[in-house]
Amino acid sequence: MNSAKVVKHISECFIKPKYEIEESKQRFNLAPMDLPMLSFHYIQKGLLFTKPSHAKDEEFSTQEFVESLKQSLSLTLVHFFPLAGQFATNVDEERHESLVFVDCKKGPGVRFIHASLDMSISYILSPTDVPLVVQSFFDHHKAVNHDGHTRPLLSVQITELIDGIFIGCSASHAVIDGTSYWHFWNAWSEIHQANSEELSVLQPPVYERWFPEGHGPTIKLPFTNSDEFITRYEAPELRERIFHFSAESIARLKGQANEESNTQKISSFQALSALCWRSIARANRLPLEQVTNCMLVANNRHRLNPSLPQEYFGNCASAMRTSSTVSELQNNNLGWAALLVHQLVANHSHKAVLDHINSWIASPYVYQPAMFGPNSIMMGSSPRFNMYGNEFRLGKPVAVRSGYANKFVGKVTSYPGYEGGGSVDLEICLSPDSMNLLESDPEFMRAVSLPYMP
């Protein structure tokens, strides 16, 4: 019955920074870790809130709340002004190259959508799988980052439910990574909570662009037409499910992995990643001789020397990869796989980052979604991001959910657990048959905890 219900758009507008951007800030160049992302989807993450209950004689007004969000967003964009811009490209036909950058003056601003859905929170949280209707809580459905030439680089959709509010943000992944994305969320919430245009808790974003020594301030791509490097990715049929791991379960996994590998170096997340790698390889019924990969997205800010501040705005992340045959992965224990993951992380040094970036600059290319095959898992996002601290005067969110973007077989997205304390939620995408097998995998399900219900 509820699957037939559709989100209705009530209104939309464009939000610009409250104050005019200085002339010196009207152009934002893309750096070496931004440009490869042009063919990927936007980042789509959102927060689900319980609608405030009636206070005495005053009823909660969604319209007033939406207007207050618009005002605080306009103030937040003073600090995060590139998100209100638009991509522009200067093409040099003779040299067969293009320069892509953000024109912070040209852009229409941030698209702001107010929508509604005749559905309660329970229909979002109760099903085993994340319902498809959640994808309609986000704008920029199936858009790739390069579409930021004609679409806003950031779009916000506020969807009113019967008893809840969902705030969904779609942001160009060629402009920001997960660290910058959640920095924006945290700043917006802080400004909204304080009803102030200044940031008092968080530091503002840092816009100085990072290039290896001897390069910059711009990088040109060896293309003149977007058809040369942009592909449109369609996700296969997937089941998408949230699995909860309590702090106690995570601690047991970490202890087991370290004991089995005779070390104390393996972290909680490395042990959890190894568990996913082993379990998903089994669920995908990969041949024993098949090479399988475990990939993790690493924040490079603190790995560079000198390091970059956490407030560095843009992409400063890369995908690390370790490999094994399925036979090795299954014939050895969890600790063996976790030690491989640990060594991968330990070796991801300043030199490793710099070597990769210098190699890319020597021969620039754009990442394609096809690089993530069904023989691998990709651990994305981070349980360290402050997602549940974004309250917007609504109280603590009850859940984090994502849209259609960048999902494929073996994609694992990490969120902090609602109760905190080191708990983790994993959003796992698999084919229906593989998900059925994962749900009956003894090693995996022993570690899964009952969902924490707020």
Side-chain angles (χ1 to χ4, degrees):
M1 176 179 68
N2 287 283
S3 61
K5 295 184 178 180
V6 296
V7 170
K8 299 176 182 177
H9 284 200
I10 297 170
S11 66
E12 71 170 74
C13 62
F14 288 87
I15 307 295
K16 291 193 173 186
K18 178 74 172 179
Y19 308 114
E20 190 169 344
I21 304 303
E22 301 170 21
E23 188 172 345
S24 61
K25 298 179 179 179
Q26 290 179 359
R27 174 166 165 159
F28 180 74
N29 290 326
L30 300 184
M33 285 182 267
D34 299 317
L35 289 163
M37 302 299 296
L38 285 169
S39 196
F40 274 80
H41 292 148
Y42 279 54
I43 303 176
Q44 293 182 323
K45 300 289 188 294
L47 300 173
L48 178 62
F49 298 86
T50 300
K51 189 182 293 184
S53 57
H54 298 178
K56 297 183 180 179
D57 298 327
E58 186 177 345
E59 186 174 325
F60 174 76
S61 167
T62 304
Q63 187 58 49
E64 290 179 7
F65 175 67
V66 166
E67 291 304 316
S68 68
L69 281 179
K70 292 177 183 177
Q71 294 170 18
S72 59
L73 177 58
S74 180
L75 291 170
T76 307
L77 291 173
V78 173
H79 303 282
F80 290 82
F81 56 88
L83 294 175
Q86 196 155 50
F87 282 146
T89 296
N90 292 338
V91 177
D92 187 330
E93 296 282 358
E94 186 175 334
R95 292 178 176 271
H96 195 77
E97 59 187 20
S98 300
L99 175 64
V100 184
F101 60 94
V102 178
D103 187 331
C104 301
K105 186 176 182 179
K106 173 187 175 184
V110 173
R111 190 181 189 203
F112 190 101
I113 300 168
H114 177 198
S116 68
L117 177 64
D118 185 22
M119 185 176 286
S120 68
I121 285 177
S122 64
Y123 287 107
I124 307 301
L125 299 183
S126 296
T128 300
D129 291 1
V130 178
L132 284 175
V133 72
V134 171
Q135 295 181 8
S136 63
F137 295 169
F138 298 89
D139 193 21
H140 290 318
H141 186 63
K142 298 186 180 181
V144 300
N145 297 312
H146 189 269
D147 293 338
H149 283 82
T150 56
R151 292 177 180 238
L153 297 177
L154 172 64
S155 184
V156 174
Q157 180 172 318
I158 313 301
T159 305
E160 179 181 11
L161 306 175
I162 294 171
D163 54 356
I165 301 285
F166 191 93
I167 303 177
C169 288
S170 304
S172 173
H173 209 333
V175 178
I176 54 175
D177 61 6
T179 299
S180 290
Y181 179 83
W182 287 107
H183 185 199
F184 160 76
W185 269 94
N186 298 158
W188 184 17
S189 179
E190 180 188 323
I191 286 173
H192 190 86
Q193 291 276 103
N195 194 24
S196 168
E197 61 188 64
E198 298 299 327
L199 291 170
S200 58
V201 178
L202 295 172
Q203 294 296 314
V206 174
Y207 286 110
E208 184 178 353
R209 314 308 290 133
W210 180 84
F211 291 86
E213 188 175 349
H215 298 284
T218 60
I219 298 288
K220 296 180 180 178
L221 293 174
F223 311 106
T224 57
N225 192 303
S226 62
D227 291 343
E228 299 175 64
F229 62 92
I230 297 299
T231 56
R232 301 285 169 175
Y233 169 74
E234 293 279 343
E237 182 185 2
L238 295 172
R239 280 186 60 194
E240 175 187 334
R241 179 174 171 183
I242 307 288
F243 292 93
H244 180 64
F245 297 82
S246 68
E248 293 75 18
S249 178
I250 296 285
R252 285 194 296 270
L253 275 178
K254 178 182 177 180
Q256 177 188 345
N258 278 291
E259 181 180 356
E260 291 176 350
S261 56
N262 193 29
T263 184
Q264 292 299 315
K265 298 178 180 179
I266 295 168
S267 72
S268 299
F269 193 72
Q270 290 162 9
L272 185 59
S273 299
L275 174 71
C276 290
W277 188 17
R278 286 164 52 82
S279 304
I280 290 174
R282 283 194 294 268
N284 284 335
R285 292 170 292 188
L286 300 178
L288 292 178
E289 67 277 8
Q290 173 72 55
V291 173
T292 175
N293 306 306
C294 178
M295 293 182 284
L296 285 75
V297 177
N299 179 3
N300 294 327
R301 289 166 176 80
H302 62 283
R303 290 181 167 89
L304 293 169
N305 186 17
S307 63
L308 295 177
Q310 283 299 104
E311 296 80 18
Y312 173 85
F313 184 88
N315 282 277
C316 193
S318 54
M320 308 176 292
R321 179 177 66 185
T322 188
S323 302
S324 164
T325 63
V326 174
S327 176
E328 288 178 309
L329 189 63
Q330 303 303 345
N331 289 335
N332 288 287
N333 56 27
L334 174 71
W336 182 88
L339 192 58
L340 281 184
V341 176
H342 167 76
Q343 291 166 344
L344 173 69
V345 175
N347 292 335
H348 193 66
S349 61
H350 168 78
K351 183 180 183 302
V353 176
L354 207 59
D355 286 349
H356 172 74
I357 297 301
N358 281 326
S359 173
W360 183 88
I361 290 174
S363 182
Y365 58 95
V366 173
Y367 301 148
Q368 302 300 325
M371 65 189 289
F372 301 113
N375 304 326
S376 307
I377 70 164
M378 164 59 84
M379 305 292 295
S381 189
S382 171
R384 294 183 178 180
F385 292 149
N386 180 13
M387 303 180 190
Y388 284 100
N390 300 297
E391 296 197 9
F392 295 97
R393 292 186 234 150
L394 294 175
K396 185 177 177 178
V398 296
V400 185
R401 292 293 184 265
S402 64
Y404 174 92
N406 300 311
K407 288 180 177 170
F408 42 84
V409 171
K411 175 67 180 294
V412 183
T413 304
S414 310
Y415 305 127
Y418 175 87
E419 71 271 34
S423 60
V424 176
D425 286 339
L426 295 182
E427 173 193 277
I428 298 181
C429 296
L430 291 173
S431 70
D433 288 346
S434 293
M435 184 65 82
N436 291 340
L437 291 174
L438 183 68
E439 291 170 333
S440 60
D441 185 285
E443 182 185 20
F444 183 77
M445 294 307 295
R446 272 197 305 269
V448 173
S449 310
L450 291 174
Y452 186 94
M453 299 304 293

